[in-house]
Amino acid sequence: MGVVENPQDAEAAGTQRGVTLLVTAAILFSGLSVLAKLVGARIPLPEVILVRSVVAVAFARGTLARGDIPVWGTRRTMLALRGLLGFIALVCYFYALMHLPIADAIVIHYTHPVFTLLLATVVLGEALERRETGFIVGCFVGVVLVTQPRALFGAGETSADPFALTVAVIGAVISAGVYVMIRELRSTEHPVRVVFYNALVASILAAPWAWHAWVPPDPLEWTILLAIGACTFLHQQSMTRGLHLVRAGRATALGYVQVLLAMLAGIWLFHEEVDPLAWIGAVILAVSAGWLATDRRPVAPRG
């Protein structure tokens, strides 16, 4: 006679699997961000987005075919809308990535867990908890210390382009809506189908834009662009699967594990200067995210 697994233990194990997937997604996102900044020195933004999206479409379509999974799904309008919002958020993020220090761009993008927490409360019924409220405070303190906005820190060398900062924040808000939509779609749509729609919509929207701005890549740039596409597919698949298992706010907060990696990449690859206040902010962000990640309670039911 088999051992009956405790449902709560099973849910907790699922949550832990989700945490692992989301940490993996964060590392992949950090890698593709570094690659995008490297190739973006000469290759225009729409071209980067197009190649990245076409490669992700190919990977996702092949995965669906191998699993004999229907391509188009049942909630097609919402899937397409998720793709549109994802494209807008991506454009905002890549613009910020190419006009800000890499750590600043990534950290501002990852303010989206704050907005995700609030949206998830309203849309998904995932009420704020004490840990998550503490994370919000830590997140904003960390972001202020890392980005050091001019209004608080003056116009010194560490201050960033205000327009690029604004674009980055807009992208973070839209990203929050995307993550809530992914969480909502979990009951009816396969994770790879969600990835496929996102990449397909981005490919369609980026194609005419890239056509007018096309710069022929050299062999090394083609290699980097294809690597960005592969990282994109693996990142989105890990992130989407993780969001099926972990509360929306807590899930998106786990992305902060890459902030220190981004800072190190900025120092080693792009010779960016990081002052002590920025390091303190990054540590606060990492601790806040880790605080949430250690909570292994299963996803709370909607209601």
Side-chain angles (χ1 to χ4, degrees):
M1 190 172 178
V3 177
V4 178
E5 187 176 13
N6 187 316
Q8 289 187 341
D9 289 343
E11 289 185 37
T15 298
Q16 192 58 37
R17 286 196 300 273
V19 167
T20 301
L21 286 166
L22 290 161
V23 170
T24 301
I27 294 171
L28 288 166
F29 189 79
S30 183
L32 73 88
S33 297
V34 170
L35 293 172
K37 192 167 180 71
L38 283 170
V39 80
R42 197 179 79 90
I43 302 299
L45 171 61
E47 188 173 339
V48 175
I49 293 175
L50 176 62
V51 176
R52 158 231 190 246
S53 301
V54 169
V55 173
V57 166
F59 273 110
R61 184 64 184 90
T63 302
L64 290 171
R66 285 194 300 274
D68 198 24
I69 302 165
V71 174
W72 301 111
T74 57
R75 303 170 73 179
R76 298 179 184 180
T77 300
M78 192 170 182
L79 285 164
L81 180 60
R82 179 266 181 269
L84 174 61
L85 293 178
F87 174 77
I88 296 171
L90 179 69
V91 170
C92 290
Y93 173 66
F94 272 17
Y95 179 88
L97 189 67
M98 293 173 186
H99 292 82
L100 295 172
I102 187 170
D104 287 19
I106 290 178
V107 170
I108 295 171
H109 174 74
Y110 269 95
T111 58
H112 67 72
V114 175
F115 305 111
T116 303
L117 285 170
L118 300 176
L119 283 174
T121 300
V122 175
V123 177
L124 303 177
E126 296 180 355
L128 287 173
E129 297 178 352
R130 186 166 55 185
R131 282 175 177 260
E132 294 167 336
T133 304
F135 162 72
I136 291 175
V137 175
C139 175
F140 276 120
V141 170
V143 168
V144 168
L145 291 177
V146 171
T147 61
Q148 300 178 23
R150 293 182 180 181
L152 296 178
F153 292 86
E157 292 183 359
T158 59
S159 298
D161 176 1
F163 180 75
L165 285 171
T166 301
V167 170
V169 172
I170 291 172
V173 174
I174 295 173
S175 293
V178 169
Y179 285 113
V180 171
M181 291 181 72
I182 292 172
R183 185 92 175 121
E184 176 65 24
L185 286 165
R186 73 189 187 279
S187 61
T188 59
E189 307 299 338
H190 192 279
V192 179
R193 184 184 299 124
V194 178
V195 174
F196 171 77
Y197 264 86
N198 179 62
L200 180 63
V201 171
S203 298
I204 293 170
L205 294 176
W209 188 18
W211 176 264
H212 291 290
W214 189 267
V215 172
D218 61 30
L220 176 60
E221 288 167 337
W222 269 120
T223 301
I224 295 174
L225 287 169
L226 294 175
I228 290 172
C231 284
T232 294
F233 171 72
L234 295 172
H235 159 257
Q236 290 193 353
Q237 183 171 231
S238 297
M239 181 265 294
T240 303
R241 290 182 183 276
L243 276 165
H244 278 58
L245 298 169
V246 181
R247 286 166 54 91
R250 191 195 315 171
T252 53
L254 293 170
Y256 282 110
V257 299
Q258 68 164 303
V259 172
L260 294 180
L261 293 176
M263 281 192 166
L264 292 175
I267 292 169
W268 292 336
L269 299 177
F270 307 112
H271 309 292
E272 296 172 354
E273 295 184 3
V274 179
D275 65 21
L277 278 180
W279 279 109
I280 293 171
V283 170
I284 291 172
L285 287 169
V287 170
S288 298
W291 190 19
L292 285 176
T294 57
D295 183 356
R296 299 187 179 184
R297 287 172 293 175
V299 176
R302 293 181 59 177

